[in-house]
């Protein structure tokens, strides 16, 4: 999942970006509301951790802009303790959850997992394709009933492929959704991760479409030209 941290306090921002990257999120940081809006226009973030007390464009306004994106990211706002008006304004602006500062990092990650588990028409809680099952909240993957241990990156790649099962997904799509902004666009990291993932879940599940990308096979689905 792609995640954006919007926080003007540099130490806190850096700590959150590093900590959330360790949790397996492809995480970027924005120092103010204007940067956040620009970054979200270029990158389809799944989750945004948004400080409300920002210089310039305020967090509430950022939240409104983000909610107009299609599909909208899930937004968790960080508020000052006891700032009830802020919290209410944030939820009114479309935030999905809030956390008062100061907070424990473990509580933040628990809230983010709960948000990822929240079912919406475009975001089923548990993904299943044939006998492949992936739970974004618990990060458990099963193939044919057996658990599969994946690295954070492999998990991100598989989740993205499963959300688009049967469609061709390009390496560029994967870099944009599963890696953060620091990735070298000319890297072969997608090919390497794909090779590892194939070995773990069964190579037949992930087809290479020459010159276009990768496709997660949907059992029982017929494709044009396959008879
Ligand atoms: Ca702040």
């Amino acid at each position: 999942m792609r995640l954006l941290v919007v926080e003007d306090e540099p130490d806190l921002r850096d700590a959150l970006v590093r900590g959330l990257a360790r949790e397996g999120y492809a995480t970027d940081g924005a120092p103010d509301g204007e940067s956040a809006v620009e970054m979200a226009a270029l990158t389809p973030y799944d989750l945004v951790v948004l400080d409300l007390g920002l210089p310039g464009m305020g967090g509430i306004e950022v939240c409104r802009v983000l909610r107009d994106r299609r599909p909208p990211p899930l937004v968790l706002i960080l508020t000052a303790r006891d700032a009830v008006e802020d919290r209410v304004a944030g939820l009114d602006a479309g935030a999905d959850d809030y956390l008062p500062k100061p907070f424990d990092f473990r509580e933040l990650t628990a809230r983010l997992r709960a948000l990822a588990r929240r079912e919406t028409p475009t975001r089923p809680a548990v993904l299943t394709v044939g006998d492949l099952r992936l739970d974004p909240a618990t990060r458990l993957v099963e193939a044919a009933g057996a658990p599969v241990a994946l690295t954070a990156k492999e998990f991100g790649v598989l989740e993205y492929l499963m959300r688009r099962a049967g469609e061709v997904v390009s390496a560029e799509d994967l870099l944009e959704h599963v890696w953060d902004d620091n990735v070298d666009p000319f890297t072969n990291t997608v090919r390497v991760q794909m090779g590892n993932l194939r070995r773990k879940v069964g190579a037949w599940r992930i087809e290479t479409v020459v010159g276009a990308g990768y496709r997660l096979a949907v059992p029982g689905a017929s494709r044009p030209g396959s008879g």
Side-chain angles (χ1 to χ4, degrees):
M1 286 192 140
R2 285 282 320 237
L3 188 152
L4 179 64
V5 172
V6 191
E7 168 61 66
D8 57 314
E9 173 58 48
D11 290 347
L12 179 56
R13 183 176 65 246
D14 289 350
L16 288 176
V17 168
R18 275 201 309 275
L20 291 169
R22 267 200 303 277
E23 293 289 314
Y25 298 101
T27 310
D28 301 317
D32 54 52
E34 287 82 357
S35 319
V37 167
E38 276 172 32
M39 292 170 77
L42 295 173
T43 300
Y45 289 102
D46 302 296
L47 285 165
V48 178
V49 174
L50 174 64
D51 181 30
L52 285 190
L54 295 169
M57 183 179 190
I60 299 288
E61 203 182 335
V62 174
C63 191
R64 282 208 191 89
V65 173
L66 293 175
R67 296 306 298 183
D68 286 338
R69 303 255 319 140
R70 288 292 171 266
L74 293 161
V75 179
L76 183 145
I77 53 176
L78 303 176
T79 65
R81 189 171 291 285
D82 301 329
V84 179
E85 300 85 357
D86 276 7
R87 201 176 305 158
V88 171
L91 294 173
D92 280 347
D96 299 281
D97 199 3
Y98 68 89
L99 196 55
K101 283 178 170 182
F103 54 85
D104 187 298
F105 185 72
R106 286 165 303 179
E107 185 173 8
L108 174 63
T109 56
R111 297 290 187 96
L112 292 174
R113 282 195 298 276
L115 280 181
R117 197 182 294 131
R118 187 180 291 183
E119 193 144 0
T120 70
T122 55
R123 198 183 291 276
V126 174
L127 305 173
T128 52
V129 176
D131 62 5
L132 203 53
R133 189 174 181 282
L134 177 147
D135 185 338
T138 59
R139 308 190 76 81
L140 293 177
V141 175
E142 283 179 8
V148 182
L150 299 180
T151 65
K153 213 49 106 184
E154 292 159 3
F155 183 93
V157 170
L158 183 63
E159 180 180 8
Y160 191 78
L161 289 174
M162 287 181 77
R163 289 191 189 281
R164 284 160 188 75
E167 296 173 25
V168 177
V169 172
S170 69
E172 291 75 23
D173 286 339
L174 287 165
L175 282 175
E176 183 164 293
H177 286 268
V178 184
W179 274 260
D180 63 34
D181 277 349
N182 297 320
V183 71
D184 168 6
F186 301 106
T187 170
N188 69 350
T189 180
V190 171
R191 203 152 43 80
V192 171
Q193 298 291 343
M194 198 61 78
N196 296 339
L197 181 58
R198 271 201 169 115
R199 224 173 31 245
K200 292 183 179 179
V201 300
W204 60 273
R205 293 180 196 273
I206 303 171
E207 305 164 59
T208 300
V209 183
V210 176
Y214 305 92
R215 178 167 47 208
L216 187 74
V218 181
S222 64
R223 287 196 314 281
S226 67

